[in-house]
Amino acid sequence: MKAITAQPYDYPLPSDTGIALIIIDMQRDFLEPGGFGDALGNDVARLQAIVPTVKRLQDAFRAMGLPIFQTVEGHQSDLSDCPPSKRDRGQASLKIGDPGPMGRILVLGEPGNGIIPELAPLPGETVIPKPGKGAFYNTNLEFLLKTYNVSHLLIAGVTTEVCVQTTMREANDRGYECLLIEDATESYFPEFKQATLEMVRAQGGIIGWTTTADCAIAGLNARFAVKA
Ligand code: C5J
């Protein structure tokens, strides 16, 4: 059995090809000035640092012909899927739906809601709009994973303790074997990222495993790389 070196112990790979990469919310609204993250008072530069690592994972999955799912957090233009509690909470300089420098904040289809150009999906790759923090809430993600026969999920994206962790917990409860890629996820708060990594892999991997992109790619190459 092939495995990826990981914590708290090696992550066993499936015997078939039932593995997918899910990239959470690498969108301009969280990574660029003028978006939702910035409006909440965060330093968006922290998140930009992981882009090359996420790209390496994306390239590796593409080269191996394995499925990639990306999500974007966003709402319908009439905000019918945005609960008032979400729009009104906090003291953001711009609220969800307000016009900002990249269009309306966190509204689907607006320029700021798009995935950053470096990680743009190729034709045929799936982008899942999600109104909540977790990628399973009010989306067709579970249906798609069943269709692709996926049992194992590698998880990357932002932010570690909000949408990434919520998605990992939702996936774990649904029976998916989840591996969070430490250097392909980031938070506006380094201490929250560290705490998330530790809590998901504690107690024998109560939510799943963590590893680095290098270890993940090496393990995947050994198992799935097309031999010349
Ligand atoms: C947040 C996310 N932080 N993608 N969304 O509001 O983590």
Side-chain angles (χ1 to χ4, degrees):
M1 184 181 59
K2 294 275 197 307
I4 293 174
T5 304
Q7 294 190 61
Y9 58 93
D10 288 356
Y11 174 80
L13 287 165
S15 51
D16 54 13
T17 52
I19 192 159
L21 174 65
I22 178 158
I23 303 175
I24 304 288
D25 298 359
M26 291 296 284
Q27 58 198 83
R28 300 181 65 200
D29 261 324
F30 293 111
L31 279 96
E32 293 185 13
F36 185 56
D38 185 29
L40 291 170
N42 298 302
D43 172 14
V44 293
R46 285 192 53 76
L47 273 46
Q48 291 162 8
I50 64 164
V51 172
T53 309
V54 179
K55 176 82 183 123
R56 278 202 299 125
L57 282 171
Q58 189 184 46
D59 288 345
F61 269 72
R62 283 175 179 164
M64 289 178 232
L66 297 170
I68 302 171
F69 300 94
Q70 296 215 54
T71 66
V72 289
E73 182 177 348
H75 295 279
Q76 301 294 325
S77 59
D78 62 2
L79 303 188
S80 54
D81 59 354
C82 180
S85 59
K86 182 173 181 182
R87 179 169 150 79
D88 296 338
R89 195 169 313 148
Q91 295 170 325
S93 57
L94 292 170
K95 290 183 178 232
I96 296 169
D98 287 349
M102 296 190 290
R104 294 178 66 205
I105 298 285
L106 225 60
V107 169
L108 296 172
E110 296 287 332
N113 206 242
I115 291 170
I116 57 167
E118 298 92 318
L119 299 174
L122 292 178
E125 289 181 358
T126 309
V127 178
I128 300 164
K130 65 180 184 55
K133 302 306 181 192
F136 288 84
Y137 170 68
N138 253 343
T139 72
N140 62 353
L141 176 59
E142 194 163 14
F143 173 82
L144 289 169
L145 294 177
K146 286 201 168 90
T147 304
Y148 281 80
N149 218 11
V150 170
S151 55
H152 287 57
L153 281 176
L154 270 61
I155 305 176
V158 298
T159 62
T160 315
E161 78 282 9
V162 185
C163 292
V164 171
Q165 181 175 202
T166 305
T167 298
M168 187 166 175
R169 288 175 181 273
E170 286 181 329
N172 180 58
D173 279 348
R174 285 166 174 78
Y176 294 96
E177 304 283 18
C178 298
L179 176 61
L180 175 57
I181 311 302
E182 297 159 16
D183 46 353
T185 182
E186 195 48 86
S187 167
Y188 301 119
F189 308 93
E191 66 277 23
F192 290 174
K193 172 179 176 177
Q194 189 55 32
T196 302
L197 297 179
E198 285 172 24
M199 72 175 91
V200 300
R201 67 190 177 215
Q203 303 176 77
I206 195 146
I207 307 297
W209 289 256
T210 77
T211 193
T212 62
D214 279 348
C215 287
I217 292 168
L220 290 169
N221 267 326
R223 168 74 183 78
F224 295 113
V226 180
K227 306 279 183 300

